[in-house]
Amino acid sequence: QVQLVESGGGLVQAGGSLRLSCAASGRAFSRYTMGWFRQAPGKEREFVARISWSAGTAFYTDSVKGRFTISRGRASNTVTLQMNSLKLEDTAIYYCAARSLGGDDFRPSGYDYWGQGTQVTVSS
């Protein structure tokens, strides 16, 4: 059974930084894609970034390009989202997700496993 556990959320002022971590366990992830999504109050869950576990190829939604960096640590089975220059509109619950081969990188329905989420609040 795959388990994903997020950590690192919190309250930060606009312009600040946070680092989210996702500890993955329960399976070999060499053929998995790992993603980060977020959901703000009253809004749908949206794609933020994803990385292929084997090649480390990353992709970002336009609104976070140049500010967020996704990475994975093979030895630690951890996926990290470094968030810099945070904006008020980045406030949301952030979720780590995993999917095996196939499926849609950019939609929540394309992912098989989810963490419980971690709150990120950006204040002015």
Side-chain angles (χ1 to χ4, degrees):
Q1 181 71 16
V2 173
Q3 284 192 319
L4 305 174
V5 180
E6 302 99 334
S7 60
L11 174 65
V12 64
Q13 285 191 325
S17 299
L18 279 176
R19 186 180 180 90
L20 305 184
S21 293
C22 173
S25 62
R27 187 157 298 184
F29 291 94
S30 60
R31 293 189 176 187
Y32 275 64
T33 292
M34 306 298 293
W36 284 97
F37 286 75
R38 65 187 180 188
Q39 188 165 17
K43 295 188 176 181
E44 293 187 351
R45 193 169 299 190
E46 65 173 1
F47 169 80
V48 176
R50 70 98 169 117
I51 189 167
S52 62
W53 196 272
S54 57
T57 306
F59 192 88
Y60 303 89
T61 193
D62 286 346
S63 63
V64 308
K65 283 180 182 176
R67 301 189 298 122
F68 291 12
T69 302
I70 188 172
S71 60
R72 89 275 187 250
R74 290 183 178 180
S76 59
N77 266 13
T78 301
V79 179
T80 299
L81 186 68
Q82 177 67 42
M83 306 186 295
N84 299 327
S85 301
L86 283 160
K87 303 176 180 180
L88 297 179
E89 53 263 41
D90 293 319
T91 295
I93 299 174
Y94 283 70
Y95 297 90
C96 176
R99 68 168 183 82
S100 56
L101 293 178
D104 190 330
D105 271 353
F106 310 116
R107 295 180 183 272
S109 59
Y111 287 76
D112 304 305
Y113 305 100
W114 292 85
Q116 81 287 353
T118 185
Q119 177 70 48
V120 171
T121 303
V122 184
S123 65
S124 59

